[in-house]
Amino acid sequence: MINAIETYVQQHNEIHMEELKQLLRIPSISAVAEHKKDILHCAEWVAGALQKAGLEHVEIMATAGHPVVYADWLHAPGKPTVLVYGHYDVQPAEPLELWDTPPFEPTVRDGKIYARGATDDKGQLFLHIKAVESCLQVIGSLPVNIKFCIEGEEEIASFHLPPFFEQHLDKLQADVVTLSDTQLYGPGKPALMYGLRGLAAFEIIVEGANSDLHSGLYGGGVPNPIHALSKLLSSFHDEHGHVAVEGFYNNVIELSQQEREAFKLVEPDEHKLLTELGVSSLFGESNFTFYEQTTSRPTLEITSISGGFQGEGIKPIIPNQAIAKVACRLTAAQVPDEVMDAVEKHIHTHKPAGVRVRLNRLLRGNPFITPIDHPAMQAAANAYEEAYGTSPVYMRGGGSIPIVEVFGRLLQAPVVMLGFGLPGENLHAPNEHFHLENWHKGLSTICRYWYKIGADIKL
């Protein structure tokens, strides 16, 4: 069956590429209000592509922001249901002068297709639509039930998708969620991203006197909020890089030996890293490698400090306020507000005398993980290996994609990230592109994955 599907893909490659170009020509920039018509046009185009592929119940569904496109094919009784997530919106293309060819005039050269959205996420999303078409055209059916949920706000943080998802939870019920918006480890080297860190971001505000004070008249006699803030910030870590906030590590799921062994295959050369970054040494918890520290351990990073006069020259005052912005990356199963509770307790406990402190909570995002030994992950690993001729590496992402955690939590289902982009494809940057060798291998991987999920696998 897979051979016949691959033959169909090869025979229809020219048609598929032209359709992909049509999709890439639409400037569906979600962040810019003047492109609202383009967003609606793109949603309509995607809906038409889903219908053409053979999907049913195609709908453009309203949200409080940009619409979601839904479709399904539910004719595999007794088989699992796969929910495919993707997004049809793209980043702005500026600075336009840095593009070698116009961002919304797709160009193929050197085995790559160049356009805004080529790899993030239109090219990767379109793989799933064409996989449906290929299976239905060749076999006449799908090995699993399929649902599509394609949004238009991913590039502006998917603000309206969680409430939409909760509102339509019955409609979107599935046994496994799949998305393709991540990367391979390298050319010909697949990767399964199975975990993402969460986020807790906040401000620490330290206040002293009721106004700025002349340092000649009051210096040495009243508390200085910048001094107090500096002392507070220095209390957050010990000399070994460990976060010294009581309760900070509550709920952290420790790495298994299997995971630590898997990470050895993707651990960067630390000596090379030092040279590239221009630093003399690295920093972090001493019992963990750099890759473990930056993907699988929670962090507390001070991202900015402000207080007093910020203009040219010097203004000799004792400021009445100092502010630090802090971002904590969290790992499963930490809870953002519980972490911020611990930090808030810490700053009040360690507050220097004579100042007031408060914590202003800004951002929250839960961490996500699907264990690497989950049957859905193993099905994906086997599909990758068959299509690419090599086993995938297992990776965790140091950043956050909050909507992934929302899917897993609300559906109580595993989330499998089948990425087909490559590092260096310039997503969010000029000359974004997608390597077309991964178009064919990506289609093969997706189809193989569905057949493996449709086998007698207990999810």
Side-chain angles (χ1 to χ4, degrees):
M1 290 185 291
I2 293 297
N3 289 340
I5 291 170
E6 289 178 338
T7 298
Y8 174 88
V9 169
Q10 292 289 344
Q11 291 174 341
H12 291 78
N13 182 66
E14 189 173 334
I15 296 172
H16 292 170
M17 284 298 101
E18 185 51 45
E19 291 174 341
L20 177 58
K21 289 179 181 179
Q22 292 175 18
L23 176 58
L24 293 171
R25 288 188 184 108
I26 305 172
S28 49
I29 303 168
S30 53
V32 181
E34 67 185 58
H35 286 283
K36 184 174 182 179
K37 288 185 178 179
D38 297 311
I39 283 281
L40 295 175
H41 174 43
C42 197
E44 292 167 352
W45 194 97
V46 169
L50 292 165
Q51 192 165 31
K52 180 182 177 183
L55 288 147
E56 302 170 340
H57 308 118
V58 180
E59 295 181 65
I60 298 175
M61 303 180 68
T63 73
H66 299 319
V68 167
V69 184
Y70 173 87
D72 62 37
W73 187 93
L74 306 175
H75 301 292
K79 298 296 184 180
T81 297
V82 177
L83 176 66
V84 178
Y85 163 78
H87 64 94
Y88 62 84
D89 66 319
V90 299
Q91 282 281 332
E94 285 79 6
L96 299 178
E97 66 273 13
L98 296 184
W99 286 78
D100 294 333
T101 51
F104 295 105
E105 293 181 18
T107 304
V108 175
R109 59 181 186 273
D110 302 323
K112 309 163 195 172
I113 185 165
Y114 287 80
R116 172 57 85 230
T119 189
D120 181 24
D121 176 46
K122 290 179 177 179
Q124 297 200 62
L125 166 64
F126 204 50
L127 283 169
H128 292 267
I129 298 175
K130 291 292 108 176
V132 169
E133 176 191 302
S134 301
C135 287
L136 291 178
Q137 288 295 319
V138 174
I139 310 301
S141 63
L142 299 176
V144 291
N145 300 292
I146 292 283
K147 296 178 180 179
F148 278 80
C149 176
I150 306 171
E151 68 157 321
E153 295 187 332
E154 194 274 345
E155 301 294 3
I156 51 174
S158 303
F159 184 76
H160 296 106
L161 190 58
F164 171 88
F165 207 90
E166 291 184 8
Q167 182 183 356
H168 300 284
L169 191 56
D170 288 343
K171 188 184 192 73
L172 297 169
Q173 280 295 323
D175 300 296
V176 60
V177 180
T178 303
L179 63 101
S180 295
D181 198 9
T182 54
Q183 298 177 340
L184 304 170
Y185 182 60
K189 297 178 181 179
L192 272 171
M193 186 75 70
Y194 72 97
L196 297 166
R197 291 196 289 190
L199 179 65
F202 48 89
E203 293 177 327
I204 298 171
I205 302 165
V206 178
E207 296 172 316
N210 55 13
S211 69
D212 292 347
L213 301 174
H214 191 293
S215 64
L217 297 177
Y218 294 94
V222 297
N224 185 320
I226 293 181
H227 294 178
L229 178 61
S230 299
K231 187 174 182 179
L232 267 179
L233 299 181
S234 68
S235 72
F236 282 148
H237 296 87
D238 64 19
E239 64 272 22
H240 304 295
H242 189 84
V243 177
V245 174
E246 184 179 353
F248 183 83
Y249 292 97
N250 288 355
N251 300 324
V252 171
I253 299 175
E254 299 296 333
L255 287 168
S256 68
Q257 190 58 38
Q258 182 184 10
E259 288 176 294
R260 301 192 83 166
E261 289 298 320
F263 288 171
K264 291 179 181 179
L265 299 175
V266 296
E267 185 73 42
D269 183 327
E270 293 191 5
H271 294 291
K272 183 178 179 182
L273 198 59
L274 291 173
T275 301
E276 290 175 348
L277 298 179
V279 295
S280 59
S281 65
L282 298 175
F283 173 82
E285 295 178 278
S286 55
N287 294 331
F288 297 91
T289 68
F290 176 82
Y291 187 79
E292 290 169 349
Q293 291 165 351
T294 56
T295 65
S296 312
R297 295 294 294 168
T299 67
L300 187 154
E301 293 291 341
I302 302 155
T303 63
S304 75
I305 301 175
S306 61
F309 177 66
Q310 302 293 311
E312 185 178 353
I314 186 169
K315 184 179 181 182
I317 61 165
I318 298 170
N320 76 314
Q321 185 183 82
I323 301 173
K325 295 181 186 293
V326 179
C328 298
R329 297 291 179 171
L330 311 180
T331 62
Q334 289 180 292
V335 179
D337 274 309
E338 291 180 3
V339 169
M340 289 190 278
D341 287 344
V343 173
E344 188 162 21
K345 181 179 179 181
H346 179 93
I347 65 174
H348 284 290
T349 301
H350 293 79
K351 173 183 72 68
V355 296
R356 302 176 301 280
V357 297
R358 55 191 171 93
L359 187 140
N360 181 27
R361 305 181 186 210
L362 299 175
L363 296 173
R364 301 166 177 83
N366 291 322
F368 150 79
I369 189 170
T370 295
I372 61 177
D373 58 356
H374 191 284
M377 293 294 288
Q378 292 304 302
N382 293 335
Y384 265 136
E385 183 171 4
E386 290 179 6
Y388 281 85
T390 185
S391 299
V393 296
Y394 292 92
M395 304 179 69
R396 287 203 197 185
S400 308
I401 308 177
I403 196 62
V404 172
E405 183 277 334
V406 171
F407 288 148
R409 173 168 47 85
L410 292 180
L411 293 176
Q412 292 294 295
V415 181
V416 177
M417 291 183 275
L418 284 175
F420 301 104
L422 276 174
E425 287 186 334
N426 290 11
L427 65 164
H428 292 202
N431 298 312
E432 179 181 350
H433 57 277
F434 182 72
H435 286 71
L436 292 178
E437 65 179 278
N438 293 317
W439 173 264
H440 302 103
K441 290 181 179 178
L443 271 166
S444 179
T445 302
I446 292 167
C447 293
R448 291 173 188 273
Y449 171 65
W450 288 345
Y451 275 97
K452 293 180 185 302
I453 289 291
D456 294 327
I457 294 178
K458 186 177 180 180
L459 296 177

